[in-house]
Amino acid sequence: MARITLDPKRSLGTIDKNIYGHFSEHLGRCVYQGMYVGPESQIPNVNGMRTDVVEALKKAGVPVLRWPGGCFADEYHWQDGIGPKETRRRMVNSNWGGVVEDNSFGTHEFMELCRQIGCEPYVCGNVGSGTVQEMSEWVEYLNGVGDSTMARRRAENGHPDPFHVKYFGVGNESWGCGGQMRPEYYADEYRRYACFLRQYGDDKLFKIACGPGTEDTAWTKVLMERCGKLMDGLSLHYYTICNNWQHKGSATEFSTEEYYRTLSRALYMDQMIRRHENVMNVYDPEKRVGLVVDEWGTWFDVEPGTNPGFLYQQNTMRDALVASVTLDIFNGHCDRVVMANLAQIVNVLQSLVLTDGARMLLTPTFFVFCLYRAHQGARQVECQVESQKGGTGDWQVPLVSASASEKEGVYTLTLSNLSMDAPADVTVSLPGVSEASGRILSAEAHAYNSFDLSPVGIRDMEPLAVCDGEVRVTLPPCAVAAVTLK
Ligand code: AHR
């Protein structure tokens, strides 16, 4: 038995819609095959973007998409990806499988993809192997107005109007694949690069500095101290690894212990945010600088027989629960977390969609984003959860997770039952509630959708009993629900 108490008077503010954002890198089959097949493909497409995938991403309500990496961003030279495709430079993608990148998907194609999905572009620039001039000119090419050389080139390449890009990242994992930098060095680099990322017209950039990738707060401290005033966002990366980096474990075959360990590690996101938030609060008590969790999600061993450099993994109900508890955590920190980007949107790590040639499937994680859509841009509502813990051995987790929001008098409560085998009876209290209905995603923990069978999907819940400001909800094991309360 668990109890959830909503207090409509207590709120951290608005849940930024961008908390429900995604990430796409030139990695494996994420961009090529996954989203971009080219205009000549037999797979139905609009200007090269596969129609089935774009339609699915629209349903999930993708608000913002990060590109082109990841590690790839720090070896990407944007001018290689513009102009006639036949003359575009062919490079080796040294981070991901050593495959040849023909640059047929570049700036214009990414902007077209975002246009079709209806999301904001978030571009990550190259600090590791690029130059200040190169990054500065990219911004001029994206947003420049008037008769400058970069604005003219954009027009010659088919887009006279500025792209109005707002979100711009200054390097990726600069402490690792983005240049192996020390925080002091990167802080100086950030100051220099950010200085030349200009505002064109009304398009003021939201500049995102590279942040930490572990719980160690040393990087955050140096960055906030030396350039906190020059950034709008600081990134944070945290992946849920079931075992360890060498042997991450299978995405589909796991023991009860591995199930609870994975969820326990996903819940660690809360600690990660708190630790870095505490440091940010010292330098930025007004919370002007947003925390941007621009890489998160599960990372398992690749599917047997697939390229180890392509990071292709299946997605089960365990992934769905990782997504739901993490999104609850983000909602609960919405006064500091302003954007998050699940890694990665199609065919890589914890994806919304998987493809195989012309075929496509929707993962359990996709349905979680559908259930949580109503939180985007809503007013967060404090929601206290009293729940017993369960699990195996050292891996004990609170069995019920939840978060809540309100828009125009309608409340959305998302709640999950993390138990692998027992239902959860939950009493939800909200003063004055008179109507309740819900939708639910529930299946055995190992269940997943394949290209032939799709057993996992959302269904309507049985009518919910409402009495004296309380609603009774029974969640089957391994379930994620969205309940609408009026
Ligand atoms: O998402 C895969 C990789 O993980 C990204 O390229 C990198 O930023 C991170 O280490």
Side-chain angles (χ1 to χ4, degrees), residues 174-335:
S174 304
W175 35 261
C177 64
Q180 301 283 346
M181 299 175 197
R182 294 172 301 108
E184 295 78 10
Y185 180 82
Y186 173 76
D188 283 346
E189 287 292 84
Y190 177 83
R191 296 172 71 93
R192 199 162 68 99
Y193 275 77
C195 181
F196 295 95
L197 302 181
R198 306 297 194 193
Q199 174 172 346
Y200 296 93
D202 294 333
D203 293 321
K204 189 174 177 320
L205 285 184
F206 185 98
K207 297 174 194 172
I208 300 165
C210 164
T214 68
E215 63 273 304
D216 185 348
T217 54
W219 182 278
T220 305
K221 186 170 183 307
V222 172
L223 263 288
M224 289 304 295
E225 195 172 70
R226 300 192 179 197
C227 36
K229 294 203 163 38
L230 301 174
M231 65 176 81
D232 301 294
L234 181 71
S235 73
L236 169 68
H237 288 183
Y238 176 67
Y239 284 98
T240 298
I241 311 287
C242 172
N243 296 335
N244 56 57
W245 279 100
Q246 282 69 43
H247 304 284
K248 301 181 195 75
S250 160
T252 52
E253 287 164 31
F254 48 88
S255 63
T256 302
E257 186 186 343
E258 287 174 315
Y259 171 85
Y260 285 109
R261 185 160 63 218
T262 303
L263 293 184
S264 177
R265 290 190 169 157
L267 288 163
Y268 190 68
M269 177 66 89
D270 189 52
Q271 286 303 310
M272 286 289 286
I273 293 173
R274 280 177 202 280
R275 286 177 69 88
H276 294 289
E277 193 176 42
N278 285 342
V279 177
M280 293 175 84
N281 288 345
V282 172
Y283 298 95
D284 175 38
E286 294 81 29
K287 304 194 186 210
R288 189 193 63 79
V289 179
L291 194 58
V292 176
V293 189
D294 56 17
E295 289 188 29
W296 68 273
T298 56
W299 194 325
F300 298 116
D301 292 336
V302 298
E303 288 305 307
T306 65
N307 187 328
F310 282 12
L311 311 187
Y312 175 74
Q313 66 190 39
Q314 250 294 358
N315 193 295
T316 66
M317 279 303 295
R318 175 176 62 164
D319 294 81
L321 284 157
V322 168
S324 66
V325 302
T326 307
L327 293 170
D328 288 337
I329 291 168
F330 293 155
N331 287 345
H333 286 281
C334 68
D335 54 341

Side-chain angles (χ1 to χ4, degrees), residues 23 25 27 70-71 96 172-173 237 239 295 299 344 349:
F23 169 38
E25 180 166 10
L27 194 178
C71 296
W96 305 117
N172 169 75
E173 296 193 352
H237 288 183
Y239 284 98
E295 289 188 29
W299 194 325
Q344 299 191 6
L349 301 176

